[in-house]
Amino acid sequence: MAQSAMSVTPYWELTFDADGDVDGPERDRLLAEVTARGVHDLIVFAHGWNNDRSGATRLYSRFFAPIPDLAPAARIGYVGIVWPSMRFSDEPIPDFPRSVAADMPARPALDKDTRHALLETFPGRATVIDQLARLLDQHTGEEAELEEFGRLVRLLVEVVPPGPQVLFAADTLANGAPQSEPDMFSAPAATVCEEFARALAQLESPDGAADAQGFSLPNPWDGAHELLRQATYYAMKRRAGTVGERGLGRVVGQLASTAPDVRVHLVGHSFGGRLVSFALRGLPEGVHTVKSVTLLQGAFSHYAFAARLPHDTHAGGVLQGQQNRIDGPLVCCYSRFDSALGSIYPLASRMANDAQGVAEGLDVARMLGAKWGAMGHDGVQAVPGTRAYKLADALNSALPASGCVNIDAAGVVKKGGPPTGAHSDIVHRELAQVVLAAGRIG
């Protein structure tokens, strides 16, 4: 446990590998100590794309810091989830000084920190990563080089992986077919890179000023860099489901057996929101100790909990009905300032699932809030009875005791630039208050 760096106590960590297997001694320590420490409410937080333990621990320490003052009489324990995700070094870390990111190289170069993170995240792929970095560093504009880059990206992330992870990827594969590959990887790489480059240019100049001034077309190698990023997140999305259902869900079940009176509150940022949501599928039958789930800029489909999809009434979301496993509410905080989820995410999702292919062109604005939208951009969709609040109203009234709740957090989640926007702007006292309100803690 990283006790010395943590702002709250008691604090435990749970480390999972890519297949959802938990570090045994860490789990056993939590199970043995949580009752002895007198914990009544246990807040379990899963990070999104942070590539090391120190980055995750920093996020948890900053987010948890105001909670003791907000709920001084509550007997709260804290758990930080550590799982094999990664962050590209040109993206902000939640509540980290922005001057650090200012020194990062411009696209399309692959800096040494991102190379190291890729090596840690995809062990055994050093040669592939070196080749990807060389192509990004020395790109000549040849279409053949873009196609080679696309081939290497596919090799890196293993579109259909071995082991249990493939079982948790139905919503990341074309048409949900276990052996099908997303259009992001099967379509011509040059076309995909051009789509991503165009989307990035629109994010950086949303008013169209670049076109008006006669600038050249976006560099497709900028799109190649984004293809690598999104392919990596495609793998992280798959892992998040695996770790949630096979890992965290089982641990919560074990905790319910050893400490049945402890109330569990799951919190997830970005892909961590997907992780804690999939943990609901992994809960053993009869476990009712999860009292709330709070999603902060959740990076998964806004239709995930829907029983029927608006565009396909014969199908439901990958987590349809799982909100009913919570003995309390599922609270989704979202922000329109999250450009990572508002533009790039739906494009990547469309490329991962749309059998029509990517060649028909991109209209980012058209996709906002539509078929390929993310929960962290516009909240839970197509779930009847979902309640909606502005952040200030949510903090000044009692939240519903069950069901889905959308909270527009744009009043605080609003800082950040391209390509991710406000995606990582989650370390706010108000959002800590939401977690407490969702769980009726204090």
Side-chain angles (χ1 to χ4, degrees):
M1 294 191 298
Q3 296 274 16
S4 60
M6 189 51 53
S7 60
V8 294
T9 188
Y11 170 77
W12 297 269
E13 283 180 359
L14 289 174
T15 303
F16 296 90
D17 68 14
D19 290 330
D21 294 322
V22 68
D23 180 283
E26 289 182 345
R27 175 202 57 207
D28 295 344
R29 189 179 302 118
L30 170 65
L31 297 179
E33 294 179 1
V34 69
T35 301
R37 298 296 295 269
V39 171
H40 184 256
D41 289 279
L42 188 69
I43 301 176
V44 182
F45 198 144
H47 65 78
W49 48 65
N50 289 279
N51 61 313
D52 58 25
R53 185 179 301 272
S54 63
T57 301
R58 177 183 171 84
L59 167 61
Y60 301 146
S61 181
R62 294 284 187 172
F63 189 89
F64 290 150
I67 290 180
D69 288 337
L70 292 169
R75 293 177 287 137
I76 303 174
Y78 307 85
V79 174
I81 301 297
V82 179
W83 63 286
S85 181
M86 72 161 282
R87 178 189 63 85
F88 274 60
S89 61
D90 59 348
E91 296 168 351
I93 302 173
D95 203 41
F96 202 77
R98 292 191 60 79
S99 59
V100 174
D103 296 332
M104 297 303 171
R107 295 186 308 267
L110 195 65
D111 62 275
K112 64 178 182 179
D113 289 338
T114 299
R115 291 192 204 191
H116 177 73
L118 287 168
L119 289 168
E120 291 289 317
T121 306
F122 301 103
R125 292 288 190 270
T127 300
V128 174
I129 293 167
D130 286 345
Q131 290 174 311
L132 286 167
R134 185 163 54 251
L135 284 171
L136 281 173
D137 290 340
Q138 303 175 356
H139 60 278
T140 64
E142 295 292 332
E143 186 170 317
E145 286 191 353
L146 284 170
E147 294 304 323
E148 174 63 6
F149 187 86
R151 185 189 72 81
L152 291 169
V153 167
R154 187 186 189 285
L155 182 61
L156 176 69
V157 302
E158 293 184 294
V159 177
V160 181
Q165 290 187 57
V166 71
L167 302 176
F168 302 89
D171 61 328
T172 67
L173 298 171
N175 301 317
Q179 299 303 318
S180 63
E181 65 179 32
D183 293 338
M184 189 193 310
F185 305 117
S186 61
T191 301
V192 174
C193 292
E194 288 170 5
E195 297 280 8
F196 276 128
R198 195 173 299 121
L200 289 168
Q202 183 168 339
L203 285 177
E204 294 171 354
S205 182
D207 58 359
D211 291 339
Q213 296 175 28
F215 290 173
S216 61
L217 291 174
N219 181 356
W221 282 96
D222 287 352
H225 184 275
E226 190 62 29
L227 170 60
L228 176 58
R229 187 200 311 268
Q230 293 302 326
T232 300
Y233 295 160
Y234 164 85
M236 296 307 100
K237 186 176 181 181
R238 183 176 62 206
R239 285 186 184 180
T242 308
V243 173
E245 186 167 341
R246 293 191 75 249
L248 181 57
R250 292 177 179 178
V251 172
V252 173
Q254 293 167 333
L255 182 65
S257 296
T258 60
D261 294 330
V262 173
R263 305 171 75 248
V264 177
H265 310 277
L266 303 180
V267 182
H269 170 235
S270 187
F271 287 137
R274 179 180 171 92
L275 190 157
V276 298
S277 297
F278 268 76
L280 299 172
R281 286 205 326 190
L283 292 177
E285 287 296 323
V287 170
H288 303 291
T289 55
V290 177
K291 302 301 180 181
S292 66
V293 174
T294 304
L295 308 176
L296 305 173
Q297 303 310 116
F300 60 114
S301 172
H302 54 192
Y303 296 133
F305 294 98
R308 294 288 181 269
L309 303 180
H311 52 276
D312 183 359
T313 57
H314 298 292
V318 68
L319 294 170
Q320 58 179 296
Q322 291 302 314
Q323 67 271 23
N324 298 323
R325 300 297 307 274
I326 309 168
D327 189 22
L330 182 140
V331 177
C332 174
C333 294
Y334 68 94
S335 172
R336 65 183 180 276
F337 297 114
D338 188 335
S339 54
L341 299 184
S343 295
I344 297 297
Y345 176 90
L347 172 58
S349 296
R350 175 173 175 266
M351 287 180 174
N353 290 280
D354 189 359
Q356 299 283 320
V358 299
E360 63 191 35
L362 167 70
D363 179 355
V364 172
R366 176 178 57 82
M367 291 190 293
L368 298 181
K371 182 176 180 180
W372 307 110
M375 199 160 294
H377 187 259
D378 58 5
V380 174
Q381 300 293 315
V383 176
T386 297
R387 300 283 297 277
Y389 295 83
K390 294 288 188 181
L391 180 59
D393 295 333
L395 297 179
N396 290 317
S397 60
L399 293 179
S402 62
C404 294
V405 179
N406 285 330
I407 296 180
D408 183 349
V412 296
V413 181
K414 56 187 178 182
K415 295 179 182 178
T420 61
H423 185 68
S424 293
D425 185 24
I426 62 162
V427 182
H428 295 283
R429 182 183 181 90
E430 293 88 346
L431 296 185
Q433 287 179 272
V434 168
V435 172
L436 296 175
R440 299 175 182 258
I441 304 172

